[in-house]
Amino acid sequence: MFSIGCAGFSLLTPYRPLFLSFTSILIITTIFQYGFRSKRTLMTALISILLSTSPEFVSLYNQNNISMTKLFTNMPLSDYSNKQVEIFVLQINGISCEGCANRIKNHFDAQAHVIYSKVYFKNQSAIIGTFPGIYEANDVLTWVKMIDFKYEGKVIQQYVVSKEDSL
């Protein structure tokens, strides 16, 4: 029923607020009962808080709200002399968790001539910015299939905008 990996746990996503409430109550009870006198209590509280908030941090990263150092072909958008960016807006069915969205984003970012990408778990969509005229919609759909055959992609929009407008 739960399978192995994040896809099995995605069944529990609707109950996440319940689990977070239960975890918060246990952390608060433990702190009131034992205080921070022992390292074990402190470590348990920190690990619980870190694990409870990790999906939010992954979501922020997937949507480029937290930036990591981009290497080689994925320099900041301002470093490109090209004045235009081609935007692909995709609907991707099969994204079952933030980990899946992160996997897709990393795959898009690894492609040559991709300037940026954003992947959204909640509405199962993605936005990819590339140099204009290099890729077609079928190329982007092939990237989706290369990740895993469980993902079904569809290009909703494709257009070219100025670099400033795409930010």
Side-chain angles (χ1 to χ4, degrees):
M1 181 166 111
F2 290 113
S3 80
I4 297 175
C6 64
F9 287 107
S10 69
L11 294 172
L12 300 174
T13 301
Y15 306 107
R16 189 163 185 268
L18 178 67
F19 291 131
L20 287 175
S21 300
F22 185 66
T23 301
S24 300
I25 290 169
L26 288 177
I27 290 172
I28 291 169
T29 303
T30 303
I31 291 172
F32 277 125
Q33 187 173 8
Y34 299 108
F36 286 114
R37 292 173 284 188
S38 71
K39 290 182 183 179
R40 183 176 181 184
T41 304
L42 180 63
M43 289 304 295
T44 301
L46 289 176
I47 290 171
S48 298
I49 291 169
L50 179 68
L51 290 175
S52 297
T53 58
S54 63
E56 283 76 17
F57 286 118
V58 173
S59 176
L60 290 172
Y61 171 73
N62 289 341
Q63 298 166 21
N64 285 343
N65 293 331
I66 297 176
S67 62
M68 299 292 197
T69 305
K70 298 210 177 217
L71 303 173
F72 306 114
T73 60
N74 290 329
M75 295 182 294
L77 200 54
S78 60
D79 291 352
Y80 291 108
S81 60
N82 194 340
K83 299 290 183 201
Q84 293 183 325
V85 176
E86 186 164 12
I87 306 295
F88 293 91
V89 179
L90 286 84
Q91 180 69 41
I92 304 174
N93 296 324
I95 302 176
S96 57
C97 66
E98 287 293 348
C100 294
N102 188 34
R103 181 178 177 200
I104 294 169
K105 178 187 176 13
N106 289 335
H107 185 73
F108 289 159
D109 287 343
Q111 303 302 315
H113 310 293
V114 170
I115 301 169
Y116 66 87
S117 68
K118 297 179 182 183
V119 180
Y120 302 94
F121 160 61
K122 290 188 179 184
N123 65 0
Q124 296 191 351
S125 64
I127 300 171
I128 304 170
T130 67
F131 288 120
I134 295 176
Y135 297 114
E136 295 179 11
N138 286 335
D139 298 325
V140 176
L141 294 176
T142 301
W143 296 347
V144 174
K145 281 294 182 191
M146 287 171 53
I147 301 166
D148 196 328
F149 284 107
K150 74 177 185 177
Y151 302 123
E152 293 287 330
K154 177 182 176 186
V155 176
I156 298 172
Q157 288 183 317
Q158 178 182 355
Y159 53 93
V160 177
V161 296
S162 69
K163 185 170 32 173
E164 293 78 26
D165 292 339
S166 71
L167 295 173

